[in-house]
Amino acid sequence: MKKKIIIGLSIFSLIFLLAGIYIITTIETATAKLDNLITLHQVEILREHLLINIKRVQSDLNLKSTRFARSIDTVILNVRNMEKMADKCFECHHSEDVLERLSELRNDIDKYKDALSRVFTIRANTGRLKAEEDSAFRTGENLITKVNNMISIASSKLEKKTQSALGNIADTKTVLYILLAIGPPLAAGIAFIFMRGFTRQVNVLLEATRSLKEGNLDYRIEGLKDEFEEVAASFNNMAASLKEQMYKMQRTEQMVVLGELAAGLAHEIKNPLTGIKLSMEVLSEKTFTSEEDREFILKIIDEIKRIDSLIKSLLKFARPPKPNLAVSDLNEILNDTVTFSLKHPSLSSKTSTSINVLKHFDKSLPELMADPMQLQQVFLNLLLNAIDTMQDGGTLFVKTSYDAGENTVQIEISDTGKGIDENAIDKIFQPFFTTKPKGTGLGLAITKRLIEQHGGAISAENNPGGGATFKISLPVKKEGKNL
Amino acid sequence: MVKVFILICVIIISGCSKQETTSPDETTPSTIDTTLVIGLIPERNIFNQIERYEPITGYVAEKTGVNIKLKVLTRYGNIIDNFVSAGLDGAFFGSFTYTLAHAKLGVEVLARPQYIDGTSTYHGLIFVRRDSGIKTVKEMKGKIFAFVDKATTAGYLVPLFYFKEHGIDNYRTYFKETYFTGTHQDAIYDVLNKKADIGAAKNTVYRRLADVDKRITKELVILEEFLDVPENGLAVRKDLDVSIKNNLKEALLNMHNDPAGKSALRDFGAEKFIETTDNDYANVYKYTKEINLDLATYDYINE
Ligand SMILES: Nc1ncnc2c1ncn2[C@@H]1O[C@H](COP(=O)(O)OP(=O)(O)OP(=O)(O)O)[C@@H](O)[C@H]1O
Ligand SMILES: [Mg+2]
């Protein structure tokens, strides 16, 4: 948009500049032409003066032997004026052919002068005198014809030149009028197009915010350009994130309700269950109980224990305890948990021995503020899942590292097991999602909760070569800072 | 500002008067208002005469502080009439007109130019077309003779002497026609262009024209050359104020020593002006005596 405005403005000023230059140059050329015309007209006047002078001299000649004869001083003055006028022509004409014609004229004037001088000085019989006078007169008439010709040729040329100059000026005037007529609408048009482009996009944005206000979080802006496109993208992101936050809030609310419900229920179930369990234990120790019944009773006790642990887990998920922060060495906690998990009673000894463990701990890992018990719970959940998927053996890979840029600690736990079903990968962190017959589906949900309580994040992905990898990122919190 | 202007004027004037210390008359002429009218004889195209003499008279006017007005005359003889009627104070006289004016009016000759080629005199010529076959006076009989003016030495006086020398008593009957061309140049061209058969003119004009027109040397032939007489010089009326007369003379005689004067001389075509007295016209007097012409009573009006 900025670019467009700059380009638009530059084009606009360029057009203005060009028009300005055009106007100035045309005015200049027009005035130059007029100047030229004026000089040409002056030259024309000069020529006519010359003609008048020649005619005056010619009349001096005609009057010479009459009683109206002018004094010789006047005649001399007139001849000299005629000459001066002719010399003036040389002052401004420069083109070669004109110069040639002029010097021809000059020669003729000299001849005329000679003839005149002769007429005024000669003393002879009347015949000879008349002959000389006639010759001078003819020379003068010739001269007059020549100058007349010159004048008529020049004036016809001048007429043409004047016409063409006036025509040019008229053309210039029309162009100027056209420019004047076109200029403002053009400017207005360009401004309108710019403004429309601008307001249209702003309107789209306005429409979007309105629809967002009305609760349509799925509204997305499309088809905007330039800077507006970026604004639209931000808007779309905002809408998406608003929707997600809304969804999360709804879920949290649900969870809270569910937690309350579960906690109440668990509490109600816990006491009778303890009673049943105690009674069952007592019953199993009774001598009248047959061996066969004792086995049933032990199985019932097992199931009760499972119910008990489920209730405990449910309570943990619904009302997670506040983390008890302490300076924790992550490597140590993880290492201990790996060792513990491999000896976990829920695993068959066969499984634990056929699993190869690879550890890659970052020695320079900074200590961080966290609840060690909760972290142990997190790692245990993940490790147990990993080991669980490798019933027939495999490699467990645990890794820690430090990202100085983000100031976070990264923990990776990967296995070479069956991997997560592509359809399930979005759901594994949801409570009660499980693919295991005896699973509760609360392990990963609790894990996610705990990690988020620490301000961290967890994600899962399948390894390209089989198995899954869980990645945890925890912020390194400075001591004394509350979560 | 006014003071500066005055200062500049003083400097210019004092600069001018410094140059004038060369003139014998130490004081700047006080006769500022005096205007002299100087006549010019039609020795060349009458419309060029003023232009030709203006550098000289302009210089002299500035030097002497006298206004000079030039007046062109269409006839040589006019000069003598005009001296009285038009109130001329002086004139550049031809040698014959001078002797006439001297005899009739008592004019006093001051100076004459010495041209760049070193000449300060001229002489008369009689010439014909080469193809006319005229070689002697006998063959001139019944032809047309072109004089210049009755008041010229070369154009009339010497031909008269020539006629007398060769036994022509009355040229008017000896020739078919005689007329006066008015200028030396026209006399030469009239013969060249076959308007006349025989012509008389000054050698200086003849030479000047021959330099530019090759036809003259090729087609004309000179039959007779006469004695040298002084070039046209400046003579003034006898009653002109002595100091003005002296100033004019000194200005002319010294102008070649002054850069401004030198350039004026160059424009005129002369090297300098040389002193001239009545004695320099001895040859003119000789011719007039030979033909028994009385200068005091001579009728110079062309018929
Ligand atoms: N390492 C893993 N490899 C493959 N699938 C896994 C892995 N970890 C978890 N899962 C899948 O995620 C589901 C949810 O796991 P979660 O730990 O929440 O519950 P569970 O293991 O099924 O039950 P519980 O933890 O109560 O025994 C599992 O049922 C399993 O399908
Ligand atoms: Mg599990």
Side-chain angles (χ1 to χ4, degrees), chain B residues 14-74:
Chain B
S14 64
C16 292
S17 59
K18 214 177 260 170
Q19 288 180 328
E20 274 170 326
T21 50
T22 49
S23 81
D25 202 31
E26 290 290 22
T27 52
T28 314
S30 55
T31 48
I32 302 282
D33 296 338
T34 318
T35 298
L36 298 183
V37 182
I38 303 285
L40 299 175
I41 46 173
E43 60 179 317
R44 294 198 191 172
N45 186 317
I46 54 170
F47 306 111
N48 292 342
Q49 283 295 77
I50 287 180
E51 231 167 274
R52 196 165 155 249
Y53 276 92
E54 251 166 7
I56 300 294
T57 53
Y59 172 81
V60 171
E62 184 156 315
K63 269 285 156 198
T64 57
V66 177
N67 292 328
I68 295 180
K69 219 181 112 197
L70 290 175
K71 185 167 173 58
V72 180
L73 306 160
T74 54

Side-chain angles (χ1 to χ4, degrees), chain A residues 73 113-114 118 123 125, chain B residues 45 48 75 177 180 190:
Chain A
D73 292 338
K113 242 171 69 185
D114 285 344
R118 197 175 156 76
R123 304 289 169 260
N125 57 39
Chain B
N45 186 317
N48 292 342
R75 297 174 201 183
E177 184 194 345
F180 298 91
D190 278 7

Side-chain angles (χ1 to χ4, degrees), chain A residues 106-293:
Chain A
R106 196 58 245 255
N107 273 340
D108 289 347
I109 286 175
D110 282 344
K111 264 189 220 150
Y112 184 44
K113 242 171 69 185
D114 285 344
L116 281 172
S117 176
R118 197 175 156 76
V119 165
F120 280 99
T121 54
I122 195 170
R123 304 289 169 260
N125 57 39
T126 41
R128 191 173 284 276
L129 222 92
K130 223 176 134 45
E132 291 300 340
E133 277 176 6
D134 284 354
S135 140
F137 182 76
R138 272 198 307 279
T139 317
E141 286 304 301
N142 263 342
L143 197 60
I144 287 171
T145 330
K146 263 190 190 166
V147 174
N148 254 333
N149 272 346
M150 266 174 98
I151 287 172
S152 65
I153 289 170
S155 64
S156 78
K157 266 188 195 164
L158 188 60
E159 180 63 23
K160 263 185 216 154
K161 270 187 187 165
T162 310
Q163 286 307 328
S164 97
L166 288 180
N168 272 330
I169 287 165
D171 288 352
T172 307
K173 228 161 69 183
T174 353
V175 171
L176 282 182
Y177 280 136
I178 289 170
L179 274 181
L180 215 66
I182 281 180
L186 192 78
I190 289 175
F192 176 73
I193 289 167
F194 262 96
M195 290 306 285
R196 208 187 50 178
F198 192 76
T199 45
R200 195 185 65 83
Q201 313 220 47
V202 170
N203 281 341
V204 169
L205 285 178
L206 218 65
E207 183 56 36
T209 49
R210 253 184 226 129
S211 123
L212 201 67
K213 191 181 139 205
E214 280 156 16
N216 183 4
L217 291 183
D218 288 323
Y219 191 92
R220 293 292 180 271
I221 302 171
E222 267 160 23
L224 290 192
K225 279 174 191 155
D226 310 318
E227 277 88 347
F228 289 102
E229 195 180 359
E230 281 170 37
V231 176
S234 302
F235 178 90
N236 289 345
N237 281 345
M238 185 186 77
S241 129
L242 262 179
K243 194 183 173 187
E244 196 185 308
Q245 290 302 323
M246 196 96 124
Y247 178 71
K248 267 189 188 164
M249 262 168 68
Q250 279 171 354
R251 265 198 72 74
T252 322
E253 240 164 65
Q254 278 172 10
M255 281 302 149
V256 170
V257 174
L258 187 73
E260 295 294 318
L261 206 75
L265 192 68
H267 203 74
E268 290 303 313
I269 293 169
K270 219 174 159 187
N271 289 341
L273 207 63
T274 313
I276 294 169
K277 193 181 153 211
L278 273 174
S279 309
M280 279 302 158
E281 277 168 354
V282 170
L283 200 64
S284 72
E285 278 158 20
K286 291 286 177 204
T287 44
F288 59 79
T289 312
S290 69
E291 213 35 45
E292 203 179 338
D293 290 340

Side-chain angles (χ1 to χ4, degrees), chain B residues 9 18 42-43 106 111 123 130 156 192 216 223 225 261 264 273 284:
Chain B
C9 290
K18 214 177 260 170
E43 60 179 317
H123 55 252
R130 210 177 280 279
Y156 191 63
L192 188 68
I216 290 174
L223 294 185
E225 298 198 35
F273 272 84
V284 185

